Amino acid sequence: MRINPEFIARSFQLQADELAAALQNPQAVCPYAFHNRFVLYVAQLLGLVTLIRSVTEPFGKQDDSNLLAQTVRIADKVNRLGVNGRLVSLGDTATAQLESYNRHLEGLYDDLRHHQPDTASSVQAALDGTDSCLFYFDTDRRIQPLRPKWILEELKDAWPFPTNWPRHSLSAWIRQQDFSKGAIRALYGHSDYGPAPLSRFDGTAVLELSGIANVIDDYLSLHDIRSVEGWNTRI
């Protein structure tokens, strides 16, 4: 599946502009609705850079990411041995977006802890790694783990593609670069033959994955896809 990069870029830009406009007057914005739009953007950006498969709770918990090392561990495939996790390197844009998301959760917690303590506790659970880091509020303002079905429903009028579109749309861009087959297998989470990517018998280096992350970051910059700020009424 090939998607025009200009269409991808425009979709991200429109969403980023919408979020920035809402933050100009946060007192007039529902924090629950803002969170849902914000986490939708975060999930799409992280999905684009990690090429993650369409799964529930796509990015696990807080301790699955290491922002200093700029890596995230994701589990998006089940094989005969169980859940198959993989390590993905992140470029500067994705790392900045995760940092912004954590600040967003802190701001959301501060705003909710006095008048909605139960909801604030659930937000804190996402922050401290007890529950999934990416979540949305349902119509009853209860926290739910991020699901592909919810993402598709939220984007149905603006984005008529399946949730695994990044795995296909970026393949040509990545394969044009000079990376080993092992590094590309590791990025896509393919382990159908040979040693598992990044296992003790695999020759792929984490440095190669960092190189791919930088190339994807160049793709984001080329199309003006950027990290955005989240909820913080103290600004």
Side-chain angles (χ1 to χ4, degrees):
M1 174 175 39
R2 299 285 179 86
I3 304 174
N4 188 328
E6 292 183 2
F7 184 84
I8 298 173
R10 186 60 178 159
S11 175
F12 275 96
Q13 290 159 11
L14 287 173
Q15 292 179 76
D17 291 345
E18 178 186 343
L19 291 166
L23 290 177
Q24 294 299 311
N25 187 16
Q27 285 74 22
V29 177
C30 171
Y32 304 102
F34 179 89
H35 171 84
N36 284 358
R37 302 310 299 175
F38 182 65
V39 77
L40 192 63
Y41 185 93
V42 173
Q44 290 176 89
L45 179 58
L46 294 180
L48 180 59
V49 302
T50 62
L51 309 187
I52 196 169
R53 296 176 177 89
S54 181
V55 294
T56 298
E57 300 182 60
F59 296 99
K61 300 179 180 180
Q62 285 287 345
D63 58 4
D64 288 312
S65 60
N66 185 330
L67 298 185
L68 290 177
Q70 295 189 240
T71 59
V72 61
R73 181 174 175 81
I74 58 179
D76 62 348
K77 185 178 182 181
V78 177
N79 59 23
R80 65 183 183 279
L81 300 177
V83 177
N84 184 17
R86 57 191 172 99
L87 187 72
V88 179
S89 290
L90 301 175
D92 291 341
T93 302
T95 302
Q97 188 60 77
L98 277 176
E99 291 171 342
S100 171
Y101 182 71
N102 288 339
R103 291 193 298 272
H104 161 83
L105 292 183
E106 291 169 355
L108 199 60
Y109 171 80
D110 283 344
D111 272 11
L112 296 177
R113 62 193 176 100
H114 294 301
H115 60 282
Q116 294 288 343
D118 290 342
T119 304
S121 295
S122 296
V123 173
Q124 182 61 40
L127 262 174
D128 64 25
T130 304
D131 289 335
S132 301
C133 61
L134 298 189
F135 62 87
Y136 70 95
F137 291 103
D138 65 18
T139 54
D140 295 318
R141 296 183 174 179
R142 294 174 300 192
I143 283 179
Q144 303 289 347
L146 212 61
R147 294 184 174 89
K149 183 178 180 180
W150 179 80
I151 294 175
L152 284 173
E153 180 65 23
E154 291 296 303
L155 292 173
K156 65 181 180 181
D157 296 326
W159 190 257
F161 303 109
T163 52
N164 64 345
W165 65 268
R167 294 180 65 81
H168 305 285
S169 64
L170 278 186
S171 61
W173 172 270
I174 292 170
R175 295 179 191 281
Q176 288 172 2
Q177 317 302 319
D178 189 23
F179 293 112
S180 70
K181 291 182 179 179
I184 294 176
R185 284 180 62 226
L187 175 68
Y188 276 85
H190 291 162
S191 56
D192 299 326
Y193 62 90
L198 299 180
S199 68
R200 62 183 297 186
F201 301 111
D202 181 51
T204 306
V206 174
L207 187 61
E208 284 188 275
L209 297 185
S210 297
I212 292 180
N214 292 334
V215 164
I216 294 176
D217 210 46
D218 290 341
Y219 177 94
L220 300 183
S221 297
L222 180 65
H223 296 97
D224 194 28
I225 299 173
R226 58 194 185 277
S227 64
V228 297
E229 284 299 321
W231 188 260
N232 191 342
T233 56
R234 292 170 296 179
I235 295 176

